[in-house]
Amino acid sequence: MSRTRTAGRAFLIAALLSCTTLATTGARADDGVAKGDTSAKKIAFSNSYAGNSFRQVMIKSFEEMGAKAVADKQVAATAVVSSNNSVTEQASQIENLILQGYDAIIVLAGSDTALNGAIKDACNAGITVVAFASGVTEPCAYVVDYNLDSYAKAELDFISSKLGDKPANILEIRGMAGDGFDKRLHEGVEKAMKAHASYKAVGEVYGQWTATVAQKEVSGILPSLPQVDAVLTQGGDGYGAAQAFKAANRQLPIIIMGNRQDELALWKQEHDASGYQTFSLGATPSVSQVAFWVAQQILAGKQVPKFVEVPLLQINQPDLDAWLKTVPEGGVVNAEYPQELVAKIIDANVKKEPLPGVPAPK
């Protein structure tokens, strides 16, 4: 190789290393909280349904975070509208928010597709749209959501840790028919079940994430079921399921809980009495705070991927008492998601690193 070619190659390598360094430096420059001025921006929350404790805490979490952000002059105003599970009304409410000049709208949609027209109108008007905890398919929207395949896998993995590979009958309590969250979590269950060939799905009901509905639906199907070894849930339905088994004088199976106070209290009561063990996981109502800060950070100029995964909050036996003490009667385990934590979650998504979780309370 000639000296000229050698020198040229050395120059090329140096140039490539320089580019790599600049790219790395550029990526790090996007880390952390974006500081763009959003003090004049307005962020609204379009909610599809407010009929259970989870959604009510979700709204309260958004309002509290929004009020603090306004007081800190991070945004100018926030608003919440709910549509009583009517997608037609929710679409109309989004159109009104467009006319009212909001800069960002976070959306918990009542349908994967029925709001696409209104969301597209918002994007065309220059409004940032962040859909969360629902399967909105309009591509202009950012999506903040959980990995529901992981949700289902965690449920089946826990059951497997207790039952092993022996044959077991599984009852699934789903959420609300037609809801995007329910459909995607059910698809995750179907995938997870394939990893446990000895487990058999023996029944399926819709509990609407509500204890009273779950109790009624499980009570209705129990007489037709053989022994049930485990119950898969979506949150808010575990307590009702347990009451149905008790009322039928049937042995309490492993019921995966969903971070509600009544579920955790029942779990503790059964554990203290007989050593009963299960575990609990679920979405946190304050995922609305994650969506809020993602929207604010986009307005502030942060580069955010179109999909931002949020970590699930899981409770295991050693942490049961600590979490239970934090939940008011009738409430849901909740966690605060301040701006700094959400920025870290965004960065972890960009870098494909493990997501920062919420530690158990001391």
Side-chain angles (χ1 to χ4, degrees):
M1 183 179 293
S2 69
R3 180 176 295 180
T4 302
R5 290 180 63 187
T6 301
R9 185 180 179 188
F11 175 80
L12 178 61
I13 292 172
L16 288 172
L17 287 173
S18 175
C19 289
T20 303
T21 302
L22 287 173
T24 303
T25 303
R28 286 178 179 169
D30 291 335
D31 287 355
V33 176
K35 300 295 185 182
D37 183 9
T38 58
S39 60
K41 304 295 186 182
K42 300 190 299 181
I43 301 176
F45 174 15
S46 168
N47 176 47
S48 65
Y49 174 70
N52 61 26
S53 59
F54 187 96
R55 292 294 183 96
Q56 289 158 11
V57 175
M58 175 182 285
I59 292 170
K60 184 178 180 182
S61 294
F62 174 88
E63 291 175 333
E64 291 177 348
M65 180 67 72
K68 185 175 186 307
V70 171
D72 292 342
K73 301 188 184 306
Q74 291 172 299
V75 296
T78 63
V80 179
V81 291
S82 297
S83 62
N84 197 28
N85 213 33
S86 165
V87 291
T88 303
E89 184 174 348
Q90 189 171 18
S92 176
Q93 290 173 342
I94 291 173
E95 297 288 357
N96 286 334
L97 293 171
I98 297 171
L99 295 175
Q100 291 168 26
Y102 280 88
D103 300 283
I105 304 173
I106 69 169
V107 180
L108 181 44
S111 165
D112 289 1
T113 57
L115 297 176
N116 282 355
I119 291 173
K120 183 69 173 176
D121 288 345
C123 293
N124 288 341
I127 297 170
T128 297
V129 178
V130 177
F132 70 102
S134 53
V136 165
T137 55
E138 169 49 53
C140 75
Y142 292 83
V143 175
V144 169
D145 207 350
Y146 299 96
N147 182 333
L148 298 187
D149 285 356
S150 295
Y151 194 126
K153 183 177 183 301
E155 292 193 89
L156 267 300
D157 284 352
F158 178 82
I159 292 168
S160 178
S161 74
K162 297 300 178 187
L163 301 182
D165 293 328
K166 69 179 184 182
N169 293 328
I170 309 293
L171 170 65
E172 181 184 0
I173 303 179
R174 300 183 58 175
M176 188 172 289
D179 181 87
F181 181 92
D182 167 74
K183 287 194 292 185
R184 288 179 294 117
L185 182 47
H186 176 66
E187 289 169 359
V189 168
E190 291 181 323
K191 294 175 187 175
M193 285 286 284
K194 291 179 181 176
H196 303 278
S198 58
Y199 293 176
K200 180 182 179 182
V202 295
E204 176 184 308
V205 296
Y206 286 92
Q208 299 185 17
W209 311 296
T210 305
T212 53
V213 177
Q215 181 175 353
K216 177 183 176 183
E217 295 299 318
V218 174
S219 294
I221 197 174
L222 266 184
S224 66
L225 298 182
Q227 174 182 318
V228 175
D229 299 293
V231 179
L232 304 177
T233 64
Q234 294 191 1
D237 35 17
Y239 179 83
Q243 298 310 310
F245 277 88
K246 287 174 175 285
N249 291 318
R250 296 182 61 152
Q251 183 178 358
L252 205 61
I254 297 173
I255 300 175
I256 305 299
M257 301 301 180
N259 294 354
R260 269 63 168 184
Q261 183 272 338
D262 56 2
E263 295 176 317
L264 301 186
L266 181 140
W267 172 9
K268 177 175 172 53
Q269 176 185 337
E270 295 294 328
H271 178 73
D272 290 347
S274 64
Y276 178 83
Q277 290 194 15
T278 183
F279 102 127
S280 183
L281 82 167
T284 51
S286 53
V287 67
S288 58
Q289 296 181 351
V290 180
F292 171 83
W293 287 120
V294 166
Q296 186 272 339
Q297 284 292 283
I298 294 170
L299 295 175
K302 188 174 179 65
Q303 295 298 310
V304 175
K306 277 292 188 176
F307 178 80
V308 178
E309 182 182 345
V310 185
L312 290 160
L313 198 159
Q314 298 191 22
I315 302 174
N316 294 291
Q317 189 69 56
D319 298 324
L320 173 59
D321 288 345
W323 279 112
L324 184 55
K325 290 177 182 176
T326 69
V327 194
E329 187 172 350
V332 185
V333 171
N334 206 15
E336 291 293 316
Y337 287 93
Q339 185 189 50
E340 292 79 8
L341 177 57
V342 174
K344 290 179 181 177
I345 291 173
I346 294 170
D347 293 339
N349 275 270
V350 171
K351 299 173 184 175
K352 302 186 185 306
E353 294 178 346
L355 301 175
V358 179
K362 301 296 183 184

